Amino acid sequence: SSSDCSEASSDMSDFDAIADIQKAWKERLECTEQEESPKRKESGCVSRKSTATLQDEERQRRVEAAQERSRRAEESGEVLMSTDLDMLLQQRRMECTSCASCPGFRIVYSTTDVHDTDIMFYCSLCGCSSEYHRVDEAYAREQAAAQAADEREAKERAARARNRGGTSRGSSKRKEALRVLGLHHAATEAEIQKAFRRLAKQLHPDKATGIGSTGHEFVRIREARDHLLQL
């Protein structure tokens, strides 16, 4: 689970749709201003802009700023980074529900932009906040499942650690099992299995030919392996 940032090409490939988006925003701004003009005249607030108009202008400004960043990066050879994750919740975002012209959530930034909230909290392609872009539910489910698996593994490791550090009797039994297999105290599961297979070739009743080979030694190494793998 989870990252998910990739280098953005400096040929402005992430901004192929910006011209159309800018045109759509400008048309929207013009229509809004035309519709509001009579109302402003009637109310006497000719110089005051509506909240919607100001928001549209801010979005347009962010789109143009993103385009300018890409242009400067292309000229200077700077490598831009790109991500489709929002910076607050680390959720993968998709198309915008506020403007139909957005091809999909994308933040394009440089290493010096990571603390700039006006860049990192908004889509570089449409200027809308990340919260206006639909969450990728499939990705969210995958992340939740991965987190749950990590938590289960952490609990299992903690339980094994408690067992290893439990009673002196249990500790003694572990030491004896390690001695039987000829292992050190920090032996891994792979090392335990390898030691068992090596000894099993020598002590298995079907293969052991020495005097007194009754299978008892084989049982001991098998029990030692099983005990260590349970911890």
Side-chain angles (χ1 to χ4, degrees), residues 89-103:
L89 303 177
Q90 289 296 295
Q91 292 179 323
R92 179 174 290 166
R93 299 282 179 165
M94 302 175 72
E95 68 274 8
C96 183
T97 59
S98 177
C99 56
S101 56
C102 181

Side-chain angles (χ1 to χ4, degrees), residues 16-57:
D16 290 340
I18 283 185
D20 292 337
I21 295 175
Q22 288 178 320
K23 181 179 178 181
W25 279 125
K26 288 179 181 178
E27 290 176 353
R28 180 173 172 177
L29 284 170
E30 291 173 359
C31 291
T32 303
E33 291 174 352
Q34 290 174 4
E35 292 173 357
E36 291 180 348
S37 181
K39 298 179 182 178
R40 290 202 299 271
K41 288 180 180 179
E42 291 176 5
S43 63
C45 301
V46 178
S47 62
R48 182 178 300 172
K49 293 183 179 181
S50 71
T51 301
T53 300
L54 291 173
Q55 289 175 343
D56 286 347
E57 289 178 348

Side-chain angles (χ1 to χ4, degrees), residues 81-229:
M81 306 299 292
S82 175
T83 181
D84 57 2
L85 301 181
D86 72 63
M87 293 294 102
L88 285 176
L89 303 177
Q90 289 296 295
Q91 292 179 323
R92 179 174 290 166
R93 299 282 179 165
M94 302 175 72
E95 68 274 8
C96 183
T97 59
S98 177
C99 56
S101 56
C102 181
F105 185 73
R106 179 69 54 181
I107 302 174
V108 179
Y109 62 98
S110 68
T111 54
T112 59
D113 297 327
V114 293
H115 298 299
D116 190 334
T117 57
D118 196 49
I119 294 176
M120 303 307 294
F121 287 1
Y122 297 89
C123 176
S124 299
L125 301 184
C126 71
C128 294
S129 171
S130 59
E131 63 185 353
Y132 288 112
H133 291 74
R134 189 170 64 83
V135 173
D136 186 339
E137 297 296 343
Y139 177 80
R141 287 193 295 271
E142 290 176 3
Q143 292 300 101
Q147 182 178 351
D150 289 342
E151 291 174 354
R152 286 195 302 272
E153 184 178 351
K155 290 179 179 179
E156 291 172 358
R157 285 199 302 267
R160 290 196 295 268
R162 286 194 299 271
N163 290 336
R164 286 195 296 269
T167 64
S168 58
R169 180 181 177 183
S171 178
S172 298
K173 190 172 182 180
R174 171 179 168 76
K175 290 179 180 179
E176 176 63 17
L178 290 170
R179 188 190 66 77
V180 169
L181 294 177
L183 295 169
H184 56 85
H185 73 281
T188 65
E189 179 177 338
E191 289 172 330
I192 293 170
Q193 295 283 24
K194 183 178 180 180
F196 170 76
R197 287 193 294 269
R198 176 176 55 79
L199 292 172
K201 291 179 180 179
Q202 302 172 17
L203 302 174
H204 193 282
D206 293 340
K207 296 182 179 180
T209 58
I211 298 175
S213 298
T214 61
H216 174 68
E217 293 87 350
F218 178 78
V219 172
R220 286 184 66 204
I221 64 170
R222 186 179 63 191
E223 290 179 346
R225 178 203 61 180
D226 294 345
H227 176 72
L228 292 173
L229 293 180

